[in-house]
Amino acid sequence: MKKFRMAAWLLCFALILGACGANTSGQSETAATEPVSETAGAEQTGTYTPGTYTASAQGKNGAVTVSVTFSAEAIETIDIVEHQETAGISDGAFDTIPAAIIENQSLGVDVYSTATYTSNAILEAVADCVTQAGGDAEALKAVPVEASEVAGALQDSETDVLVIGGGGAGMAAALSAAENGARVILIEKQASLGGSTILSSGSFNHVDPDQNAEKEMTESRAEAIEAYLSAEPMNEEHAALQAALQEAWDEYQASGSTAYFNTPECMAIDLFLYGSGEGNAELILNFTRNATDTYLWAAEVGGVDWNAQGGARIINGIEATCLGMGVEIYTDTRATELLMEDGVIVGAVATNANGESVTIKTSKGVVLATGGFSANAEMRTEYNTVWEELDESLVAYGSAGSTGDGVIMAQAVGANLVDMGFITLKCESATGQDIAHGPNCYSSSIYVNQNGQRFVAEETQATDEIGLIKAVLDQPGQIYYMITDFAEAESRGYTLEDLAEMVDNGYAYSGETVAELAEAIGADPATLEATVASFNESVDSGEDEFGRELWVNKIETGPYYAVPFIPYVHSTLGGVQINTSAQVLDTDGNVIPGLFAAGEVTGDIHGKERMGGNTIAEAVTYGRIAGASAAAN
Ligand code: ADP
């Protein structure tokens, strides 16, 4: 659907009704079972007992409460009464799902692809209301949904630059290509822009010269720099980064400055070492040396408000600017193939929002910004070299759009793929909430497996995350529970009421005793009791079989709590190989004319692990480079 043509009148109508009827008087506590309208006690003569009913269901961040009004034969209005979902991510679900339910009188509507939890919560809560009103929710799930024709769908087109993918890299590429005078079309296969970028914290690592100027240089920093420089290089790339750092360090020392020494060369070597020395020095330096300027550009040219929260600040800011510059943005539009003529990329084939195949011809180039392949279980299994086994059932942490399309399309035109085996996992709360994480989070918590047994020194999480994940993958069900007691939770600012609410919402389990907690998580009570008792003895003795070294508090003050954690496929670090102009290289190292790439679809930069804060910074920095290169082509 073309962005600036958006909604059908029906959708607007439903939203207006929704807004007017919204009741935020906190009725969600009792609402799930009680009809709340005056007419609700009426006889059921038709499909429903007319009236207004409310119900809640679990969304991404908490309960989503809806209020649904029924006539005898139809669902008339759906209001979102209360929710804690993230603005900018869940909006699409709130805008489209209730309208689609009403339009189709069906609960079989598709979830909104970038907000699946929110979508499912709305559907579940409305289904609950249907049941309360005497309707048949199961039957409504089977009612077919008409795919409505999208008026503004992309047709066969010609443009200068086509950007495929609307995450951080793609948005930056579109902006930069437009800024450099190109006509730009951006296509995004999901219903809304953002990809994994919008789901992230939006952190953007870069060196801030002003901040350095305010800080004094320290002796320990100088020693750290010297240590970086004198380390035995692990390979040529490392030596190249050391040489770059040496040059910057010599220059700094010759200048007589007493300001804190932190340059893009420092950032580069940190990135390289974090990735186990697998990245390409030239690409890394090109990123770190352009990151600061790109950060400022995103705000000044792109309209990004760096004071706003989350990855949405990048997407929303640049989207508005791009639309103002005449960039055409089409969502629900998926590129399927790159077009090559005489060895040059001249466009792509895509499936538009109506499911029709269309051709976009480009005079300057195509930018691949399709993200990674963490949501493509088959590709993960095929390429993974880091993990012994990568179960297909593992959930992707980022966007459902990360299915490796760009890699597949680029490979078909001869692109070289690099680092494809490097896939990162991360253990995160399975419920999206947490009680004891944060500084010193292990002081009085333990990790137990589904059997109620410890399996690791908990502080490994901070020192060797890969080691922890490998240990988790060996546990039954590949799950662990962080067990903590009320004393620990209270020390982190939680009251008994907060905790009870978390348990009610399904974010955590609790028990007055350890045995009760074991029952709540489905573990053997005697085993968990023995585990906790043994841990408490270790707090006294200062040792255990796992080599834990952090001994602070016992777990002995009920109630007791457990939060489940599971490994997610966090991101993929391999992809197409590019040069410093973001041109895609073929398997002989030659540029594929007309093809550019940026962001998670590329490889050879981060190595085996991507440092937090570098993901978005690198995607936007290379996106900007790719857009400018394409426009200049
Ligand atoms: P990056 O950080 O590299 O920008 P993101 O995951 O944020 O990566 O964004 C990539 C975007 O590309 C996602 O929104 C995804 O849905 C989109 N995408 C992936 N494959 C295609 C495709 N074949 N056609 C259009 N968009 C695509």
Side-chain angles (χ1 to χ4, degrees):
M1 169 182 332
K2 201 166 181 175
K3 267 277 156 179
F4 37 88
R5 288 210 209 137
M6 286 295 280
W9 69 269
L10 192 89
L11 199 147
C12 299
F13 184 54
L15 286 177
I16 292 162
L17 281 178
C20 297
N23 178 346
T24 47
S25 61
Q27 42 178 247
S28 56
E29 292 293 308
T30 54
T33 51
E34 293 290 320
V36 292
S37 78
E38 284 163 21
T39 51
E43 286 267 307
Q44 182 171 353
T45 52
T47 308
Y48 305 108
T49 305
T52 302
Y53 303 80
T54 67
S56 303
Q58 183 63 32
K60 176 88 178 155
N61 302 335
V64 173
T65 304
V66 302
S67 168
V68 184
T69 301
F70 296 84
S71 62
E73 294 304 337
I75 302 170
E76 298 290 342
T77 66
I78 300 172
D79 299 340
I80 307 296
V81 177
E82 217 177 339
H83 73 86
Q84 283 124 47
E85 307 297 86
T86 311
I89 297 176
S90 56
D91 298 351
F94 290 133
D95 289 354
T96 58
I97 304 273
I101 295 172
I102 294 169
E103 185 179 355
N104 295 285
Q105 293 295 310
S106 167
L107 291 173
V109 306
D110 283 343
V111 296
Y112 191 73
S113 58
T114 46
T116 48
Y117 287 93
T118 312
S119 305
N120 285 327
I122 299 169
L123 287 165
E124 208 181 300
V126 174
D128 188 334
C129 292
V130 166
T131 308
Q132 291 179 53
D136 183 346
E138 285 310 309
L140 280 198
K141 286 178 192 167
V143 172
V145 174
E146 293 280 312
S148 50
E149 186 81 0
V150 177
L154 176 64
Q155 302 300 320
D156 288 344
S157 305
E158 283 181 16
T159 187
D160 294 330
V161 175
L162 170 68
V163 178
I164 305 175
M171 297 310 291
L175 174 65
S176 126
E179 185 195 16
N180 286 289
R183 290 173 303 155
V184 181
I185 291 178
L186 180 145
I187 58 175
E188 163 56 56
K189 71 175 174 182
Q190 300 203 79
S192 64
L193 299 172
S196 294
T197 302
I198 207 167
L199 302 173
S200 76
S201 67
S203 307
F204 194 114
N205 287 351
H206 65 287
V207 170
D208 183 343
D210 294 343
Q211 227 175 42
N212 294 340
E214 282 167 17
K215 264 172 47 184
E216 279 292 302
M217 186 58 179
T218 62
E219 222 167 275
S220 64
R221 176 68 175 171
E223 281 166 16
I225 300 296
E226 292 293 353
Y228 275 145
L229 292 171
S230 59
E232 185 63 34
M234 55 176 95
N235 53 31
E236 269 177 32
E237 304 300 319
H238 191 185
L241 290 171
Q242 284 175 314
L245 180 60
Q246 184 74 59
E247 209 174 300
W249 183 231
D250 290 347
E251 202 178 298
Y252 167 83
Q253 287 184 312
S255 75
S257 168
T258 58
Y260 192 75
F261 178 76
N262 187 23
T263 68
E265 293 72 26
C266 304
M267 182 174 163
I269 215 156
D270 278 339
L271 179 158
F272 178 81
L273 295 175
Y274 197 83
S276 304
E278 296 281 353
N280 171 301
E282 212 188 355
L283 289 177
I284 295 172
L285 281 170
N286 190 46
F287 155 48
T288 60
R289 287 175 174 160
N290 282 292
T292 305
D293 197 41
T294 301
Y295 179 83
L296 300 173
W297 169 82
E300 283 159 19
V301 178
V304 172
D305 174 5
W306 289 117
N307 293 318
Q309 294 295 310
R313 63 190 182 181
I314 296 164
I315 303 301
N316 299 346
I318 300 184
E319 179 189 7
T321 310
C322 277
L323 292 175
M325 292 169 90
V327 172
E328 292 184 29
I329 298 177
Y330 297 88
T331 51
D332 282 321
T333 305
R334 175 173 180 216
T336 52
E337 189 191 341
L338 293 168
L339 293 173
M340 192 178 224
E341 274 174 20
D342 301 328
V344 178
I345 296 300
V346 293
V349 178
T351 306
N352 75 8
N354 288 327
E356 301 150 348
S357 179
V358 296
T359 300
I360 309 109
K361 294 283 246 169
T362 52
S363 62
K364 291 177 177 291
V366 174
V367 178
L368 283 175
T370 46
F373 57 94
S374 52
N376 185 330
E378 216 173 284
M379 273 181 86
R380 280 174 356 206
T381 308
E382 180 185 345
Y383 288 108
N384 157 50
T385 54
V386 176
W387 310 95
E388 210 166 286
E389 200 192 332
L390 212 47
D391 201 288
E392 297 218 340
S393 66
L394 290 178
V395 178
Y397 194 69
S399 159
S402 304
T403 49
D405 300 10
V407 167
I408 295 166
M409 288 188 285
Q411 196 181 21
V413 295
N416 194 38
L417 306 185
V418 271
D419 297 346
M420 289 295 286
F422 300 159
I423 296 173
T424 63
L425 305 191
K426 231 176 169 44
C427 279
E428 297 280 349
S429 162
T431 66
Q433 299 270 316
D434 199 350
I435 295 176
H437 264 150
N440 301 320
C441 58
Y442 323 107
S443 42
S444 67
S445 5
I446 52 171
Y447 296 169
V448 304
N449 64 18
Q450 190 59 61
N451 297 338
Q453 294 159 322
R454 285 181 66 215
F455 58 95
V456 76
E458 287 77 6
E459 69 259 35
T460 305
Q461 172 112 51
T463 55
D464 174 17
E465 198 176 358
I466 293 184
L468 170 79
I469 296 164
K470 283 188 168 158
V472 175
L473 292 177
D474 284 341
Q475 303 310 307
Q478 301 186 327
I479 186 169
Y480 72 87
Y481 298 85
M482 184 181 224
I483 307 283
T484 198
D485 68 358
F486 178 60
E488 173 69 18
E490 194 180 28
S491 75
R492 291 176 184 279
Y494 291 94
T495 63
L496 276 175
E497 291 72 35
D498 296 335
L499 294 160
E501 197 179 324
M502 282 183 76
V503 172
D504 277 354
N505 282 328
Y507 296 141
Y509 300 92
S510 73
E512 287 302 318
T513 62
V514 171
E516 265 181 45
L517 181 66
E519 268 165 27
I521 64 172
D524 174 48
T527 307
L528 188 61
E529 277 179 333
T531 298
V532 171
S534 156
F535 170 76
N536 288 343
E537 278 168 26
S538 292
V539 174
D540 290 331
S541 69
E543 55 189 48
D544 71 353
E545 61 185 299
F546 306 105
R548 176 168 166 143
E549 290 177 358
L550 185 72
W551 303 109
V552 185
N553 300 314
K554 295 182 178 179
I555 299 178
E556 56 185 1
T557 316
Y560 300 90
Y561 299 94
V563 176
F565 280 75
I566 53 171
Y568 290 89
V569 182
H570 194 257
S571 59
T572 50
L573 301 177
V576 301
Q577 190 172 21
I578 54 167
N579 62 17
T580 52
S581 300
Q583 293 169 295
V584 176
L585 305 180
D586 68 15
T587 46
D588 296 323
N590 299 317
V591 164
I592 300 178
L595 188 59
F596 305 83
E600 204 180 336
V601 69
T602 66
D604 215 11
I605 297 175
H606 299 276
K608 271 192 171 163
E609 278 284 331
R610 202 187 262 122
M611 218 177 198
N614 277 347
T615 311
I616 306 300
E618 184 260 297
V620 174
T621 300
Y622 269 106
R624 182 189 181 197
I625 293 170
S629 295
N633 194 25

